[in-house]
Amino acid sequence: MTRSRSHALWLLTAALLSAAPVLAQAPASASRAAAPQTVSDVLQVPRPKGGEWLGLYLMDKKVGYFFTDVALVPGRKDQVRAVSELVFKATVGTKLSERVHREERVYEAKPGGRMLSFVVDQRGDGGTQRLEATNTPGGMKVVRKRPGQPDEVLTVAASAEKTEDADQARVAIFRKAAVEGIVTDGTDLQGYKVTTTTEPAEERMVRGVKVRLSRAQTISEKEKVPVTAYFTEDGEMVEVDFGQTMKARAETEAVAKRLDVVEVFGLTRIVLPKKLPVEARAVPGRAVLVMTGLPEKFQQDSYRQKYVKLPEGRVEVTLLSDFPKPANLKPLPVADPDGGENLKATIIVESDNAEIRKLAKTLVGTEKDAYAASKKIVTWVATNLAKDYGVSADRATDVLRQKKGDCTEHSLLAVALLRAAGIPARRVDGVVYMVNEDGVPAFYWHEWIEAYVGEWTQMDPTFNQPVADATHFGVGREGNAEITPLIGQLKVMEVKDKPSTPVKP
């Protein structure tokens, strides 16, 4: 079973973290250009004093809360501080999963001012750590602090964040124009472009009164989840929509912190009308499903998944699994068909870490065939990581040290080891078929991997599958929260014996 925070919980958390701080920077309008500003627009926009509290709801069930505030640094008029705190809590199986993520960023208060520093505190699910960053034009120095571990100093490219990035939605509404910027993500320290557009205002009932609400929508190139925020004329943020699955609603602090007991597996799984055929578990294998709620952008044919459009918004999906063709297999090291992205070391996928490189070398030994080496690595991860569904980590080295976790930890460590061995690899997000204790056949959110061994092949280090069988339906890559809107929306209407038209491998 793929438990712990469950992959659905992890994806939802990633989507929420990508939305705060919400960014935006744009040139001043022509009407304001004649009168130079001394302070950024982020200090001109109306907003409640003392910050705002919002309750977080997954499919109308309370799973956490969010706090956000932007104001001058106390005692200073030349610096702006943006604070955001996310608390996410839910029951996953029989265990409580909780994640607390707090960020504090400081910027110059002038228009277009630089981000000067940030502090990220993370605890609970995913591990406990503190990142203290100082940003200069020449680069960004990050000190990573973890309990019981020596401090780690990282140097990354300078952040391009500007002061206006502290509150993108309100700045966009204030300027009445589309805006965009680059922001450094507080989890992987990479800069991502975010685009914000204003949308037509609408009237809604707020606390029993009909009010006119301004709207702004933000999309990050990292997560690709449309985030729509609604504001009153006084600048109060009354609601934020993260796709159709997750919403944040304005509440008092006391109400925001009052959480429901939500069991994520039962809430987010996709129930099937009947069990998948036995051949779905075989390799080669096949499964055929009729689905609704799958946007067209996800319907891209691949070597594992084929799509046929049907009437009334339905789509027939054929899931395939097979061994890589012997004639295509390559020796180590393998060139990345994507230009090196799938061999890159990052703060999360630490394939350049000395311990990970040493282990990869030991596991591969004298093996020259990339696929055979991949199987050795996947088998080691599957058999040496305890299936602990109450412990998780967001860095490959942390997974290696604790040697336990769920599907995300198994996939993260496997990808790091594969890259260290010279094998291009990436994580795959999607769902996997299981029949749980209640006897209901269903898809559960899951993560596995894909390795390039002369051709791409999917492998599952959680279930020790050298070829991920046809019970796996992939919809995203590299922990991308773009798929979060599918949670609660994707439905399986029919399990078929064979596809309606012949499927070419």
Side-chain angles (χ1 to χ4, degrees), residues 21 38 71 82 114 134 136 158 177 183 207-208 242 259 313 349 392 401 497:
T38 58
R114 293 187 301 109
T134 303
T136 68
V183 152
R207 304 182 187 97
F242 305 88
L259 304 182
V349 184
S392 59
R401 187 178 66 256
D497 294 328

Side-chain angles (χ1 to χ4, degrees), residues 19-22 47-54 65-71 81-86 103 166-167 170 231 237 240:
V22 241
R47 70 165 54 84
K49 292 184 178 180
E52 297 171 281
W53 296 88
L54 297 97
Y65 59 87
F66 187 78
F67 172 79
T68 180
D69 189 27
V70 179
R81 181 174 63 187
V83 177
S84 62
E85 182 172 343
L86 167 70
E103 296 192 9
D167 194 344
R170 286 185 176 91
F231 300 89
M237 182 163 51
V240 183

